Amino acid sequence: LFEIYWNEALSIRINGYLIYVLLGYLLSTEKIKKKQRILIYIGALIGLIYRYTTTFILSKASGIVTRTTWGGYFSWHCMLLSCAVFIFIKGLQLDKRLKNRTRIIKLLSTISGCSFGIYLIHMIIKYYLTYWLNWNVYSWSYRTIGIIITYCISLCVVYLLKKIPYLNRVVP
């Protein structure tokens, strides 16, 4: 459908988040044609509508926020949305657009250098943030503001840990 070819002989059973590593590699190395990008964007939009519409309808019917079994990170709509975001950012070609903006490049480079550490600690930050503030992770306020706060705190923690001698060798 997307005309992205995969050698079936190299197929392995992919468990867990490894699929995102492979997708990232594939999308970063392949030249994605305009038709393919449009199909991925349309699929992501359909998936986004599907996910939130079904969650809303099922939650309204049950009276609580319903987490659907098809709403996980390995569902088709989540993967398409991830691909669409990746392709969109890749298409911005920020390296060319920001060529002379050294401060912005340095800031983005610093944030990028912290991304794996953020990934590793964000659930801990989320746990304590929601515990201390008695914040429901399914509330609209957490799903909008709380996620940004969790990210920013995680970024600050990782950035500071990377500045501590000897500890900076352990922090990714």
Side-chain angles (χ1 to χ4, degrees), residues 1-12:
L1 179 65
F2 298 112
E3 295 179 17
I4 299 173
Y5 300 101
W6 177 258
N7 185 346
E8 294 282 331
L10 298 175
S11 292
I12 54 172

Side-chain angles (χ1 to χ4, degrees), residues 14-129:
I14 300 172
N15 290 327
Y17 297 100
L18 181 60
I19 186 68
Y20 285 102
V21 174
L22 295 175
L23 271 174
Y25 174 76
L26 182 66
L27 293 173
S28 68
T29 57
E30 288 289 317
K31 174 77 172 128
I32 309 295
K33 297 175 191 161
K34 185 176 182 179
K35 180 181 173 185
Q36 295 168 319
R37 280 196 320 268
I38 291 170
L39 284 172
I40 291 171
Y41 291 151
I42 291 170
L45 183 63
I46 290 168
L48 198 64
I49 293 167
Y50 168 78
R51 178 181 184 150
Y52 290 105
T53 302
T54 55
T55 301
F56 178 77
I57 291 169
L58 294 173
S59 298
K60 188 108 169 132
S62 67
I64 59 170
V65 175
T66 302
R67 293 184 63 158
T68 59
T69 56
W70 60 85
Y73 292 120
F74 309 113
S75 58
W76 63 271
H77 49 85
C78 189
M79 288 191 185
L80 272 176
L81 186 57
S82 299
C83 290
V85 169
F86 188 99
I87 290 168
F88 176 75
I89 292 174
K90 180 183 173 186
L92 290 177
Q93 298 179 341
L94 292 176
D95 53 340
K96 292 178 184 174
R97 293 175 188 243
L98 300 174
K99 190 180 269 187
N100 299 325
R101 306 239 170 109
T102 55
R103 293 177 82 182
I104 295 174
I105 291 171
K106 186 175 180 186
L107 175 66
L108 291 175
S109 180
T110 301
I111 293 171
S112 176
C114 293
S115 62
F116 187 55
I118 292 168
Y119 166 73
L120 292 175
I121 70 160
H122 82 279
M123 291 302 283
I124 298 167
I125 303 295
K126 174 185 166 186
Y127 173 80
Y128 285 106
L129 183 68

